Amino acid sequence: GTRPSPRPRPRPRPSRPVPPAADDATAILPAVRAADETSLLGIIPPAPPPDPEPPPPPRQPRPGEVVVQLRPLRTRTGGYASIHSALTRTTFGTVLRTCLRGLGEVLVTFGVVVLLFAGYQVWGKSAVVAAHQENLDRQLEEAWEATPPPADDEPEEPQTLAPPPGHAVARLYIPKLNKHWVVVEGVGPDDIRYAPGRYPTSAMPGEIGNFAVAGHRNPATFWDLDQVHEGDLIVVETRDTWYTYRVTRNHIVLPTAVEVVAPVPGEPGATPTKAMLTLTTCNPKWDNYERLIVHAELTEALPRDAGPPEAVRTMTL
């Protein structure tokens, strides 16, 4: 017979949602989402993070700069070379630039040394000379106080016996330059290092003959002696007398012209009849292949007690 066909299975019914019970809390309040938890507490949620700033634009290379790519460079042999190999390898140009840079540094250093030396010559050496001049001035004043004054008010005869070398002789004033110095005995390098010096064979101040004085051509001594011309006054102060000389000549000679300090300037062997003053120094400035000579003739002698001459009183000492 025929086999009966199987009975079809019944389809499952869809399940209905079960209503919540009356005492369930969720039946009254809806479920709270995580993002809304702060809204229940009255707290303002944090602001979203700001948008990131755009990166700055790449800096444009300045003239003369070389931009090196930050990546390895493959060589023809299959290896890799340093990215700086093009800048660090030794070439004729790099050697030349290094030499020029070193030469420039040497020249700058040399220039600084020269400026320091010039500053010492102008300010440092002047300060040293000024300090020694103060010591010589005290030495001269002490020597004058230790010597008894003359018996009368007349100027004493010029002193013919010179002090020892290096000791103070007199004060020398040049009103036109507003300068004054203590003159020492002797013209050796040690004698005139800090002061003008008297030629040992020359006359004493105010004496008939030639009172010859030598000084260095530096800013502290006879630096501007070339500005003293005919008619200008030079004053010499001794223990008892002010001697005023008037310039008669300013000229330049060779170092071998020793006749300028003769008793009669320019006339060796002649017998002097006047009291003269001669100042000598090197010429030009910063060199010594010539000599600058200033001659002056005595015009007035006053007692020291009477006070300095008018030319000295107008100076800023």
Side-chain angles (χ1 to χ4, degrees):
T2 60
R3 182 178 296 180
S5 59
R7 289 179 66 181
R9 295 180 180 180
R11 295 181 180 178
R13 295 180 179 179
S15 60
R16 293 182 178 179
V18 180
D23 57 350
D24 192 352
T26 58
I28 300 174
L29 296 176
V32 180
R33 293 179 300 172
D36 296 334
E37 291 178 356
T38 56
S39 62
L40 299 178
L41 303 177
I43 302 176
I44 301 175
D51 296 336
E53 296 183 359
R59 187 179 66 84
Q60 297 297 326
R62 287 178 285 207
E65 288 185 342
V66 178
V67 179
V68 180
Q69 300 294 333
L70 298 178
R71 58 183 178 82
L73 301 178
R74 191 176 184 87
T75 62
R76 296 180 180 179
T77 59
Y80 289 90
S82 170
I83 59 175
H84 304 290
S85 60
L87 303 177
T88 58
R89 69 171 181 266
T90 303
T91 62
F92 175 78
T94 58
V95 173
L96 180 61
R97 284 193 296 270
T98 302
C99 294
L100 292 177
R101 189 181 301 113
L103 179 61
E105 293 176 356
V106 171
L107 292 177
V108 169
T109 303
F110 179 75
V112 172
V113 172
V114 171
L115 288 177
L116 291 176
F117 177 75
Y120 169 75
Q121 290 291 331
V122 175
W123 293 291
K125 199 167 185 178
S126 298
V128 174
V129 171
H132 281 78
Q133 280 286 311
E134 291 181 2
N135 294 334
L136 290 171
D137 192 82
R138 286 194 299 267
Q139 173 188 330
L140 184 64
E141 199 66 37
E142 291 173 359
W144 288 349
E145 291 177 357
T147 304
D152 51 10
D153 296 334
E154 294 297 327
E156 191 182 55
E157 291 296 327
Q159 181 183 0
T160 57
L161 182 61
H167 284 242
V169 175
R171 293 190 181 102
L172 176 69
Y173 300 82
I174 302 183
K176 184 175 183 179
L177 305 181
N178 198 37
K179 295 283 189 178
H180 71 284
W181 306 269
V182 174
V183 180
V184 299
E185 179 68 15
V187 292
D190 294 335
D191 301 327
I192 63 174
R193 179 176 299 175
Y194 307 114
R198 168 186 168 270
Y199 284 85
T201 57
S202 67
M204 295 298 292
E207 185 180 6
I208 296 298
N210 189 8
F211 173 49
V213 177
H216 284 302
R217 192 75 180 274
N218 56 41
T221 316
F222 288 163
W223 182 257
D224 294 324
L225 191 61
D226 56 323
Q227 300 179 14
V228 179
H229 299 290
E230 182 178 353
D232 294 332
L233 300 180
I234 300 176
V235 180
V236 177
E237 178 188 6
T238 64
R239 185 193 64 182
D240 306 304
T241 310
W242 294 93
Y243 297 103
T244 302
Y245 296 82
R246 187 174 297 276
V247 176
T248 59
R249 189 181 181 189
N250 181 329
H251 62 119
I252 297 173
V253 300
L254 295 176
T256 55
V258 295
E259 63 273 10
V260 295
V261 295
V264 179
E267 300 180 17
T271 302
T273 58
K274 299 179 181 179
M276 301 291 296
L277 167 68
T278 298
L279 304 180
T280 69
T281 189
C282 298
N283 192 74
K285 297 177 179 178
W286 307 111
D287 214 325
N288 62 352
Y289 59 85
E290 294 176 334
R291 297 292 183 268
L292 175 64
I293 310 299
V294 173
H295 296 300
E297 182 178 342
L298 181 65
T299 58
E300 187 180 36
L302 297 174
R304 187 165 178 262
D305 295 339
E310 179 66 22
V312 176
R313 287 199 298 269
T314 58
M315 295 176 60
T316 304
L317 301 178

